[in-house]
Amino acid sequence: MKKGMKLTIALALVALTAMSGFAQTAKKHEFRGAWLHIIGQKQYSKMTPEATREYLVGQLNELKANGVNAVIWQIRPQADAAYISDLEPWSKWISGTAGVAPNPVWDPLQFMIEQCHKRGMELHAWINPYRVTSGKDDKPAAGHVYYKHPEWFVKYADGKLYFDPGLPESRNFIDKVVRDIIGRYDVDAIHMDDYFYPYPVTGVDFPDDASWEKYGKGFNDRGDWRRHNVDLLIEQLHNTLQEVKPWVQLGISPFGIWRNKSVDPRGSETNGLQCYDALYADCPKWTKEGWVDYMVPQLYWEQEHPRANNEHLMHWWNGETYGRGMYYGYSVSNMMTHKDTRDSTINNQLGEKIELQRKLENVTGMVWWPGYLVTQNFKQVGDKLKKTHMATQALAPTYTWLDNKAPEAVRKLKAEKSCCETVLRWTAPKATDEMQKAARYVVYRFKKGQAVDISKAEAIVEITGETCYHTRGTLKGNYTYAVTAVDRCNNESAPVSVNVEIAQ
């Protein structure tokens, strides 16, 4: 045998072994999210509402096929609304003109909730808390609260307008917006990313002298006061969610470096911008206090980055969970353009990062930035996810700190045969407590004679928000199908099963 052929076979065996390893580590419960932003995305304003809906359906179908089970959908990028609101004006990123509704009027948030839930996916409503404008030439739309209360806002050296985080009025208004969203929409979470106090402009401090003078008493350091201001907002939002809809989570996606170890012995082995000092966001504190339900640190760097070694950061954040969800945010473009540090013949770090992440005890998921690159199959990322790393479907983790009681089993499961397929239909379990109502269902398939074992991720054939499942395309044979109900916190009921013979 020629040397080249031996090498080819050897590499193929290595690849098959790796794929087998990923299949073995596939988890039944794993948060698999994707960020879909609207800021800077001009395609929405150029499409008709009907075309936009078709486009979004295509995005969701492809994300679902790639294993994604949660969509983080941006609805308030700059104190505006990509939904029907009486508090803030329509976002220009939806209609093309700030303050002008799409024509004909429709509700993108409600549409995305319905479409995600239909597919058994979670919908996390992504808001930016403080930013009001996106550039120096940008202005709030007519009717914005800025014109009624200009004293709540400041303009920074980056040319953008912000709510002043030091003012109780700012926090109360942001809380009012969140209260309105969760009161009217069936969202699964409120999500905020890394934009708290703005990224600093070199040599220019944030212009909050007036609020510091009025509210800074008792603080010797303005940085401590600013962190306190953000803490107050996070705690207030947590309390509002608990009061109105306690199953709705609060999630944060912070900048990937909390503090460098050279500054703080509790920090990471890094040498970069620190969200604690630059953005005044003490993120680990929020999970430790129980205010935040999950963190998605933005670990966008390559594994070997000289100042922000991503492997070091993955281990560091693993120790900062405090019993809450910890998912890692990955840059698709960075991940797919840097070679595996263990094997230079692999031209991306996708498998390397997922394999390491799944070995970390406290990390239970990942989020892709941006989701659009996954649906575009950038450098085959989508193919690799659906064929190898996420070849099996997964439920999001159980949120046991919110609720740990499983719903009742589904009722009246039956198999209805037609000329070309068998359709499973069932009825939702009865529940009076909102926490125990079925939010989605899991359909499992086993060969005849196999024991029904719902711990096996590979047995899942569908996760859906509907009370039916079509067996279309299933190989002929005798099967046992099992269906479970899953509540809002991903607690799962006992299975109910039915035997089905597929003849086609």
Side-chain angles (χ1 to χ4, degrees), residues 69-248:
N69 56 24
V71 173
I72 302 174
W73 170 242
Q74 191 174 35
I75 66 166
R76 186 185 184 262
Q78 49 184 90
D80 51 4
Y83 60 97
I84 295 173
S85 171
D86 292 331
L87 298 176
E88 295 183 306
W90 274 98
S91 174
K92 69 178 181 180
W93 303 110
I94 289 294
S95 67
T97 304
V100 176
N103 186 22
V105 176
W106 69 295
D107 195 325
L109 175 55
Q110 183 60 34
F111 178 80
M112 288 292 280
I113 292 170
E114 292 171 359
Q115 292 298 315
C116 284
H117 288 177
K118 176 182 178 181
R119 290 164 175 78
M121 305 164 79
E122 294 185 0
L123 188 285
H124 294 216
W126 171 13
I127 69 169
N128 183 280
Y130 300 120
R131 182 178 59 203
V132 179
T133 58
S134 57
K136 63 180 181 179
D137 298 323
D138 197 12
K139 294 181 180 180
H144 195 280
V145 68
Y146 166 77
Y147 297 107
K148 186 176 181 180
H149 292 286
E151 70 277 9
W152 295 356
F153 302 86
V154 294
K155 193 169 188 178
Y156 187 40
D158 59 4
K160 300 174 186 177
L161 196 66
Y162 297 89
F163 281 94
D164 184 346
L167 297 176
E169 295 86 351
S170 295
R171 295 191 292 272
N172 291 338
F173 183 81
I174 296 165
D175 179 75
K176 185 177 181 179
V177 169
V178 168
R179 186 179 290 268
D180 174 63
I181 293 168
I182 65 173
R184 294 190 295 121
Y185 294 97
D186 188 19
V187 299
D188 296 289
I190 294 294
H191 180 95
M192 295 191 293
D193 54 10
D194 52 323
Y195 294 105
F196 293 100
Y197 277 82
Y199 280 83
V201 175
T202 303
V204 184
D205 198 16
F206 188 75
D208 56 1
D209 287 348
S211 54
W212 163 246
E213 179 66 25
K214 186 173 183 179
Y215 295 106
K217 295 177 179 62
F219 290 89
N220 296 322
D221 179 80
R222 194 177 298 202
D224 289 340
W225 172 71
R226 288 172 177 168
R227 278 182 288 275
H228 175 68
N229 295 332
V230 181
D231 287 350
L232 289 174
L233 174 66
I234 300 300
E235 184 180 16
Q236 185 171 354
L237 295 181
H238 163 76
N239 291 338
T240 292
L241 297 182
Q242 287 294 300
E243 174 194 339
V244 180
K245 288 182 178 177
W247 58 85
V248 176

Side-chain angles (χ1 to χ4, degrees), residues 473-484:
T474 305
L475 294 175
K476 68 178 182 179
N478 293 311
Y479 300 94
T480 298
Y481 281 88
V483 179
T484 61

Side-chain angles (χ1 to χ4, degrees), residues 292-309:
V292 167
D293 298 291
Y294 69 84
M295 283 284 173
V296 191
Q298 296 173 15
L299 304 187
Y300 290 171
W301 302 282
E302 59 271 25
Q303 295 296 77
E304 70 279 18
H305 193 286
R307 297 179 62 195
N309 183 290

Side-chain angles (χ1 to χ4, degrees), residues 17-26 351-352 354-355 358 388-389:
T17 302
M19 289 180 68
S20 174
F22 283 121
Q24 291 171 9
T25 58
E352 179 178 8
I354 291 179
E355 183 177 357
R358 285 176 172 166
T388 305
H389 308 296

Side-chain angles (χ1 to χ4, degrees), residues 233-283:
L233 174 66
I234 300 300
E235 184 180 16
Q236 185 171 354
L237 295 181
H238 163 76
N239 291 338
T240 292
L241 297 182
Q242 287 294 300
E243 174 194 339
V244 180
K245 288 182 178 177
W247 58 85
V248 176
Q249 299 179 80
L250 179 58
I252 305 291
S253 175
F255 183 75
I257 299 173
W258 174 68
R259 299 197 92 185
N260 301 309
K261 198 168 187 176
S262 59
V263 173
D264 189 324
R266 298 173 299 162
S268 53
E269 294 281 2
T270 50
N271 183 27
L273 182 140
Q274 306 166 112
C275 67
Y276 180 93
D277 300 271
L279 309 179
Y280 304 100
D282 190 2
C283 306

Side-chain angles (χ1 to χ4, degrees), residues 278-447:
L279 309 179
Y280 304 100
D282 190 2
C283 306
K285 176 181 178 179
W286 305 339
T287 46
K288 190 174 184 179
E289 293 291 340
W291 300 336
V292 167
D293 298 291
Y294 69 84
M295 283 284 173
V296 191
Q298 296 173 15
L299 304 187
Y300 290 171
W301 302 282
E302 59 271 25
Q303 295 296 77
E304 70 279 18
H305 193 286
R307 297 179 62 195
N309 183 290
N310 205 70
E311 184 168 352
H312 291 170
L313 284 166
M314 291 175 78
H315 285 285
W316 189 86
W317 281 101
N318 178 60
E320 297 294 326
T321 56
Y322 304 104
R324 297 296 189 261
M326 178 63 72
Y327 323 130
Y328 288 165
Y330 296 129
S331 162
V332 173
S333 61
N334 182 285
M335 177 182 281
M336 299 305 294
T337 52
H338 285 87
K339 290 186 176 182
D340 191 304
T341 62
R342 308 159 303 174
D343 183 348
S344 61
T345 65
I346 301 175
N347 62 5
N348 63 77
Q349 296 184 349
L350 176 64
E352 179 178 8
K353 289 186 177 182
I354 291 179
E355 183 177 357
L356 172 57
Q357 173 195 302
R358 285 176 172 166
K359 291 178 179 177
L360 296 173
E361 182 181 2
N362 301 320
V363 182
T364 52
M366 66 209 77
V367 183
W368 306 109
W369 168 258
Y372 301 110
L373 287 187
V374 175
T375 61
Q376 293 166 14
N377 199 24
F378 177 79
K379 292 187 179 292
Q380 292 76 55
V381 64
D383 291 342
K384 295 179 187 300
L385 291 177
K386 70 179 68 169
K387 293 177 182 177
T388 305
H389 308 296
M390 295 184 180
T392 58
Q393 296 190 56
L395 285 165
T398 51
Y399 313 129
T400 53
W401 57 92
L402 295 176
D403 175 59
N404 61 6
K405 183 180 178 181
E408 296 294 325
V410 302
R411 299 176 296 139
K412 301 178 182 178
L413 173 64
K414 58 184 179 179
E416 299 178 350
K417 293 186 178 181
S418 65
C419 61
C420 56
E421 68 171 342
T422 299
V423 181
L424 303 182
R425 299 187 189 279
W426 59 88
T427 301
K430 293 181 178 180
T432 55
D433 186 340
E434 191 68 38
M435 284 289 201
Q436 269 63 64
K437 289 183 179 179
R440 59 193 67 87
Y441 304 92
V442 187
V443 181
Y444 301 83
R445 183 173 63 226
F446 304 90
K447 290 182 180 179

